Amino acid sequence: MRNVTQQNISDVVIAALSADIPARNREILTSLIRHIHSFCIEAKITHAELIAACQFLVRAGHISDDARNEFILLSDILGVEVLVDMLDHKVTDGESESTVLGPFYRDNPPILPKGASIIQKHFEGSQTVRVNGAIRDTTGQPISDAIIDVWEDAPNGLYEQQDPDQPDYNLRGRFMTDANGEYSFVGIRPAPYPIPYDGAAGELLNYMGHHPWRPGHIHFMIQKDGYQGLVSQIYDADTQYLDNDSVFAVKESLIGKMNETPAGSDTDLVMQFDFKLKPLAGQTAIAAE
């Protein structure tokens, strides 16, 4: 095509896609090309703005490494990751809602017995919380031997891999549900914290005029053979930023109340939070008797 115009450029680029590429490649690229061209036309993007955007992406690449993926952070700030999570994990049978994994998960956390503490370092003024709950299927039957990874930030707003003063794997643990599908552990009341904003993510937040803060929350990853895995976050009902989370990941069903415990209790607070897992395709939840 020698005569490319604003009117035909999308069709020209799409026509350049090879007939040999997978159908999914074609579907994604066709939609991407049409939408990004429409965006440029609608927003009247200048050449200087295009170059600035390319340089911005280069800066995002330079700051990214094994410990920090700036592009995931950018997708969070624009609400893309939480949207994709909603598309990919539609609630169909009353199972618990998922939300974003976040950038601070670490595999192979310490394996701990039911009721154990994930706290390895004391922080002055922090409140301890016992988190109890049950994992059930979508009919309400308990799921035993489900694996639960939990992790949270410290009261200074930092996860342990961000903070050289915290012990390795502090505020992280892996638990297993008992025969009744129940779990329990002791953690710290999670604090609101800012997502990293010293790089390209901070530039984008400034461009948006938005803040970097996330509400206090505890991360959960729940797995059991025969069930759809669940990645979720439980939000403190009394934390700041529930209504203006910087990454838009809060859902009403994921907010839990941390209540004061009676005098003499082993923790300052207690929270009850249950989850439901959906059987994988071809599996059937055991009906309640």
Side-chain angles (χ1 to χ4, degrees):
M1 170 63 72
R2 295 186 179 185
N3 188 29
V4 178
T5 68
Q6 180 177 315
Q7 288 69 38
N8 69 11
I9 186 167
S10 298
D11 291 333
V12 169
V13 177
I14 291 168
L17 300 176
S18 170
D20 298 327
I21 62 175
R24 182 58 175 161
N25 292 29
R26 180 174 298 280
E27 180 181 16
I28 290 172
L29 289 170
T30 297
S31 182
L32 172 65
I33 291 162
R34 292 203 183 280
H35 280 83
I36 201 166
H37 287 185
S38 294
F39 159 72
C40 291
I41 292 169
E42 179 182 339
K44 300 180 176 64
I45 298 300
T46 67
H47 189 262
E49 288 168 334
L50 172 63
I51 298 304
C54 292
Q55 293 171 338
F56 167 78
L57 293 175
V58 169
R59 291 193 294 276
H62 284 165
I63 202 171
S64 296
D65 55 26
D66 290 341
R68 174 172 174 174
N69 188 320
E70 198 76 356
F71 292 97
I72 291 178
L73 202 55
L74 297 178
S75 76
D76 286 339
I77 292 168
L78 292 172
V80 174
E81 185 177 7
V82 72
L83 172 60
V84 170
D85 178 70
M86 288 187 286
L87 292 170
D88 203 32
H89 299 103
K90 294 178 182 178
V91 175
T92 59
D93 299 307
E95 69 273 18
S96 296
E97 289 190 284
S98 64
T99 193
V100 297
L101 176 67
F104 301 113
Y105 174 71
R106 290 186 67 185
D107 199 7
N108 299 314
I111 298 172
L112 301 171
K114 181 184 175 185
S117 175
I118 61 174
I119 304 167
Q120 298 184 45
K121 178 181 179 178
H122 174 70
F123 286 83
E124 191 67 33
S126 64
Q127 290 180 292
T128 56
V129 57
R130 178 171 294 281
V131 184
N132 301 316
I135 312 299
R136 299 187 176 94
D137 65 23
T138 49
T139 72
Q141 291 299 295
I143 300 175
S144 62
D145 300 329
I147 297 170
I148 306 173
D149 284 12
V150 298
W151 66 103
E152 61 173 328
D153 67 313
N156 63 3
L158 297 175
Y159 290 83
E160 51 82 27
Q161 72 263 57
Q162 298 176 286
D163 185 358
D165 294 327
Q166 289 187 49
D168 198 32
Y169 284 97
N170 185 42
L171 298 174
R172 299 176 185 272
R174 175 169 290 173
F175 299 86
M176 183 174 288
T177 56
D178 63 17
N180 297 315
E182 296 176 349
Y183 73 91
S184 178
F185 67 91
V186 173
I188 291 176
R189 185 173 215 164
Y193 65 87
I195 59 175
Y197 59 95
D198 55 332
E203 293 182 52
L204 179 57
L205 286 168
N206 289 335
Y207 196 85
M208 296 169 67
H210 198 212
H211 67 80
W213 287 89
R214 297 222 58 217
H217 59 277
I218 301 174
H219 292 265
F220 284 74
M221 177 186 288
I222 306 171
Q223 302 175 74
K224 169 70 176 183
D225 287 347
Y227 295 86
Q228 181 174 285
L230 178 67
V231 173
S232 202
Q233 299 173 20
I234 304 309
Y235 297 89
D236 179 356
D238 298 311
T239 186
Q240 290 180 281
Y241 306 107
L242 283 177
D243 295 315
N244 57 350
D245 178 14
S246 62
V247 304
F248 313 102
V250 176
K251 298 176 181 177
E252 192 68 33
S253 70
L254 303 180
I255 297 174
K257 181 67 174 175
M258 297 186 180
N259 297 301
E260 292 187 4
T261 54
S265 299
D266 62 349
T267 62
D268 301 306
L269 305 165
V270 63
M271 179 174 69
Q272 176 77 25
F273 206 96
D274 300 338
F275 295 91
K276 285 187 177 182
L277 300 186
K278 180 170 65 175
L280 291 172
Q283 303 279 338
T284 303
I286 301 172
E289 296 181 353

